[in-house]
Amino acid sequence: MILRKNIFTRRKVFNYLIGCVFAMSSKYSLAGQQAGSPFRDRFQTYRQTFRIEPDPEEARRIVRNIIKGREIRENLIFLKAPDIAENGNTVPISFGVNCSMEGQDYPRIVHILVLDNPFPEIAKFYFSPESGEASVDIRIRMRTSSNIIAIAEMQDGSVGETKAFVDVTIGACS
Amino acid sequence: MAGEERKNWRRRLKTPKSAIKGEIITIKTMAEHIMEPGVRRDPETGVIYPKKIIDLVICRFNGKQIYKSHWYSGVSANPFMSFKMKAISSGLLEVEWVDDYGQSSYKKAIIIVYDENGKEVIPMKLDKASSIKEVI
């Protein structure tokens, strides 16, 4: 009588499962990465992120996701920024929205984006009719000289957009 | 180190003490905070400093939220922000800064609003005439 060995030992099954899991995880992680670039966490969920290079296509994709193909109203939002900023760590900017702030005529959200920053989103502002006037001053960081984009989403669904170019001599580390 | 930690908690809020009804007033806020973006390295050891930013600022007037802003790591260190508010009635203004670790810090101010006759506009009904300072 031939003693037949059990093919499905516990060790073999365990190794097979580990191999499957590793193959699946490596497939998904490699699919998200581009060749030669470190992992980019655009959603800023991690405490430590590597110094990564800016990706203008990613920034344009974020802008497209905010506008969603809606028509852009002219002269709705105006943005004030300096032409030349010596220090990129503090660039003072201010914006305002031309509206009456009554009924549906007020901005729900105003987005500020810097296209050539590695993390393009700077801030979001939520207003209400009690605000009286939708105008805010704030100081931001910029790594290189680039365009600043301000997008206003009104309560009735219309969208306004402006751009301003700022020349930065010493960039910030952001 | 303890001194630096304490420095991150200093907040400033500047408002006009009194206003006329219907006037639009400016509120200036400033938080002393490092706003660490999570990218900078220690020059000697090469260790990345962990991210620590203020990511939410809420402004309430008499308990109702009138303005809110979400911040990301692109806001500069010691963030200054000024915004507008319409003076309807006198009351208590509260500004709250929330860390991305969930710690929040508050600053409050009382704004007294007068109408054209020089009488104070009180937000709630009272039995006898009094000032908002006595109510709060």
Side-chain angles (χ1 to χ4, degrees):
Chain A
M1 198 181 163
I2 302 161
L3 267 172
R4 209 178 154 197
K5 276 188 181 177
N6 192 6
I7 302 167
F8 299 104
T9 57
R10 276 188 291 180
R11 185 173 294 182
K12 277 189 179 173
V13 170
F14 187 64
N15 283 356
Y16 179 73
L17 282 176
I18 284 180
C20 280
V21 169
F22 182 74
M24 283 169 71
S25 64
S26 63
K27 185 186 165 192
Y28 284 113
S29 65
L30 288 173
Q33 272 191 23
Q34 292 170 358
S37 73
F39 178 67
R40 316 172 79 102
D41 180 29
R42 295 287 174 193
F43 299 101
Q44 307 189 18
T45 47
Y46 291 107
R47 294 265 167 232
Q48 298 181 339
T49 45
F50 297 104
R51 186 182 167 89
I52 53 175
E53 287 314 307
D55 187 357
E57 272 193 24
E58 186 86 17
R60 259 177 254 131
R61 194 181 61 79
I62 293 171
V63 171
R64 245 184 283 132
N65 280 353
I66 293 166
I67 293 176
K68 287 176 185 163
R70 284 178 279 186
E71 250 184 53
I72 290 166
R73 261 167 74 182
E74 287 187 359
N75 297 326
L76 182 64
I77 182 165
F78 56 91
L79 180 69
K80 213 167 85 182
D83 295 335
I84 299 167
E86 288 181 2
N87 192 356
N89 276 313
T90 53
V91 183
I93 60 164
S94 64
F95 67 85
V97 181
N98 285 326
C99 60
S100 62
M101 302 294 284
E102 282 170 1
Q104 297 277 303
D105 190 25
Y106 70 94
R108 194 164 57 92
I109 313 177
V110 175
H111 302 259
I112 300 277
L113 301 124
V114 176
L115 289 191
D116 288 355
N117 265 17
F119 303 107
E121 282 182 311
I122 300 288
K124 283 193 267 182
F125 303 94
Y126 297 77
F127 295 96
S128 66
E130 287 89 352
S131 300
E133 194 182 312
S135 67
V136 170
D137 298 6
I138 198 163
R139 289 167 193 169
I140 63 167
R141 283 189 181 121
M142 291 174 78
R143 187 187 275 188
T144 50
S145 43
S146 70
N147 271 317
I148 302 174
I149 283 188
I151 302 165
E153 279 187 76
M154 306 294 281
Q155 183 70 13
D156 54 3
S158 53
V159 181
E161 188 190 7
T162 46
K163 269 183 199 175
F165 188 80
V166 179
D167 209 343
V168 178
T169 42
I170 302 168
C173 192
S174 74
Chain B
M1 198 63 202
E4 284 177 30
E5 284 295 309
R6 187 154 178 79
K7 208 178 171 185
N8 283 334
W9 281 87
R10 218 178 287 158
R11 306 284 183 256
R12 287 182 200 164
L13 174 64
K14 202 173 183 184
T15 59
K17 282 178 183 171
S18 64
I20 303 161
K21 193 180 178 183
E23 194 187 359
I24 288 165
I25 54 175
T26 310
I27 295 153
K28 294 176 182 173
T29 65
M30 167 134 160
E32 291 194 4
H33 199 276
I34 40 173
M35 296 291 275
E36 193 67 60
V39 178
R40 292 196 309 139
R41 281 174 194 274
D42 195 322
E44 290 177 3
T45 57
V47 178
I48 302 174
Y49 295 126
K51 191 173 111 180
K52 187 182 185 182
I53 57 167
I54 293 171
D55 60 355
L56 179 61
V57 183
I58 304 171
C59 175
R60 295 189 194 90
F61 190 71
N62 282 341
K64 197 190 174 192
Q65 179 186 307
I66 56 166
Y67 171 78
K68 186 174 88 170
S69 72
H70 277 291
W71 291 352
Y72 299 94
S73 62
V75 178
S76 70
N78 300 333
F80 163 85
M81 182 172 66
S82 81
F83 54 92
K84 309 278 184 183
M85 200 194 85
K86 196 173 188 180
I88 297 163
S89 65
S90 51
L92 180 73
L93 182 88
E94 289 174 292
V95 179
E96 181 185 1
W97 290 265
V98 185
D99 227 332
D100 61 347
Y101 283 81
Q103 297 172 321
S104 59
S105 50
Y106 295 86
K107 199 84 181 176
K108 61 187 179 183
I110 291 170
I111 300 168
I112 297 170
V113 176
Y114 298 101
D115 57 2
E116 297 89 33
N117 304 325
K119 208 178 173 188
E120 192 182 337
V121 186
I122 305 248
M124 56 208 114
K125 278 185 183 177
L126 296 170
D127 294 340
K128 57 177 183 177
S130 60
S131 171
I132 194 74
K133 279 187 178 173
E134 294 164 20
V135 175
I136 293 166

